[in-house]
Amino acid sequence: MRAISLSALALAAVMLAGCASSQSQEQDKELTEQQLYQNIQRSLDNGRYSAAVTQLETLDNRYPFGEYAQQAQLELIYGYYQVGNWEASRAAASRFIRLHPDHPQVDYAYYMRGMAAWESGRFSLESLDLIDISKRDLGATRDAYVDFGEVVRRFPDSAYAPDARQRIIFLRNVLARHELQIGDFYLRKQAYLAAVNRGRWVLEHYPQTPATRDALAVMVEGYMGLDMEKEARQALAELIHNDPDNARLNGNTFNPRYLGGSLSLEDN
């Protein structure tokens, strides 16, 4: 009986909330553009983001060319972001960029599009060491990297540019680590040429990341697997010069992860 009573109460609460929401939407239809926009600002100021999103969508649909249309489109990006609808936030940002490429706040749209991708990638978990993002699907990572890059490239003096630059550094490291994960996979599968190419890719495209050192280690082992001793020694010399404390090194000797034997610059 207790469970039934609780279920009944929960159902009643949902029905009341639905009625209240419907009543609110009906009331919004009675408002002028200015009154509706004022209500939106109150909802945003009070942290009632779901209500704000509903009101912003109403304003956008009813007054697409009104006095507050452009500002409402910007705030809709923010509203979707606050309620955790990352795809809708990115779509709203893309729409604003397409419709208003010369708007004085278009840098905000680029930045928020990047932030929505950032959150979609769940980067906050990385700071807790719960997951290694480089091992996950990195579609959102690349989207965020591109969007923040657009902020820095197009709007170097934007108020959002400093934060975008810092996020780019983090994302670049994530992408580089991901490439190393692929390189390691190729080594395990004895696809040595592919591993060498992946290590070279990291060196060429992410030259300022810590991953470049392990990229050299991937290349050394890949060349060893290909029996390309000259190239392996050249890569080893670079590794010793740039990262003498690398985990694969014991002095001037390289100990591969998956191959037998070792390689030393002192070998004949």
Side-chain angles (χ1 to χ4, degrees):
M1 292 295 295
R2 183 180 176 85
I4 294 174
S5 297
L6 288 174
S7 298
L9 288 173
L11 179 61
V14 169
M15 293 179 64
L16 287 173
C19 292
S21 176
S22 299
Q23 184 179 10
S24 176
Q25 292 180 25
E26 287 298 320
Q27 290 174 349
D28 285 343
K29 292 180 180 180
E30 306 290 332
L31 301 177
T32 65
E33 180 186 9
Q34 184 178 25
Q35 290 171 331
L36 182 54
Y37 187 73
Q38 289 172 346
N39 281 355
I40 291 168
Q41 295 309 301
R42 281 193 287 271
S43 294
L44 290 172
D45 291 342
N46 294 327
R48 297 172 56 243
Y49 298 114
S50 294
V53 165
T54 300
Q55 293 164 333
L56 283 162
E57 289 173 339
T58 299
L59 189 149
D60 189 42
N61 290 329
R62 289 179 58 194
Y63 306 102
F65 306 106
E67 179 181 356
Y68 302 99
Q70 293 183 15
Q71 188 61 30
Q73 289 169 14
L74 277 174
E75 290 172 346
L76 194 54
I77 300 169
Y78 178 74
Y80 284 136
Y81 177 84
Q82 287 295 338
V83 299
N85 193 339
W86 318 124
E87 288 304 314
S89 182
R90 285 183 57 78
S94 295
R95 175 195 178 203
F96 187 88
I97 291 167
R98 184 180 69 254
L99 294 177
H100 314 291
D102 299 320
H103 192 279
Q105 290 181 277
V106 72
D107 58 331
Y108 173 79
Y110 277 104
Y111 176 75
M112 288 301 297
R113 191 168 70 175
M115 286 300 300
W118 173 278
E119 293 295 343
S120 178
R122 298 174 65 190
F123 296 109
S124 59
L125 294 180
E126 179 78 353
S127 64
L128 301 177
D129 294 327
L130 297 178
I131 58 173
D132 182 353
I133 294 174
S134 66
K135 297 180 181 179
R136 302 179 62 226
D137 176 65
L138 295 188
T141 308
R142 293 189 178 91
D143 288 340
Y145 186 77
V146 170
D147 289 331
F148 290 135
E150 288 290 289
V151 173
V152 171
R153 184 176 66 85
R154 291 172 177 261
F155 315 100
D157 298 323
S158 167
Y160 308 105
D163 184 69
R165 290 189 184 95
Q166 292 302 310
R167 293 179 190 274
I168 285 172
I169 293 171
F170 174 83
L171 293 172
R172 186 185 293 126
N173 290 336
V174 170
L175 291 169
R177 292 209 317 271
H178 180 67
E179 296 297 330
L180 289 182
Q181 294 289 339
I182 297 173
D184 186 78
F185 169 80
Y186 286 142
L187 289 176
R188 284 189 282 113
K189 296 298 182 180
Q190 300 181 4
Y192 299 120
L193 180 58
V196 168
N197 289 335
R198 191 63 58 166
R200 185 180 294 115
W201 174 273
V202 173
L203 293 178
E204 292 175 354
H205 292 84
Y206 307 109
Q208 298 177 337
T209 64
T212 56
R213 299 169 181 179
D214 285 327
L216 285 167
V218 168
M219 293 178 68
V220 174
E221 187 162 349
Y223 282 130
M224 290 176 67
L226 292 168
D227 293 324
M228 299 175 66
E229 185 174 340
K230 178 182 177 181
E231 288 79 3
R233 289 179 181 278
Q234 290 173 343
L236 176 56
E238 286 294 318
L239 177 61
I240 293 172
H241 175 73
N242 289 282
D243 190 20
D245 297 322
N246 190 277
R248 304 264 71 80
L249 292 176
N250 181 11
N252 288 339
T253 300
F254 179 84
N255 299 304
R257 180 170 290 172
Y258 303 108
L259 293 171
S262 61
L263 178 69
S264 175
L265 292 184
E266 300 170 357
D267 292 340
N268 294 324

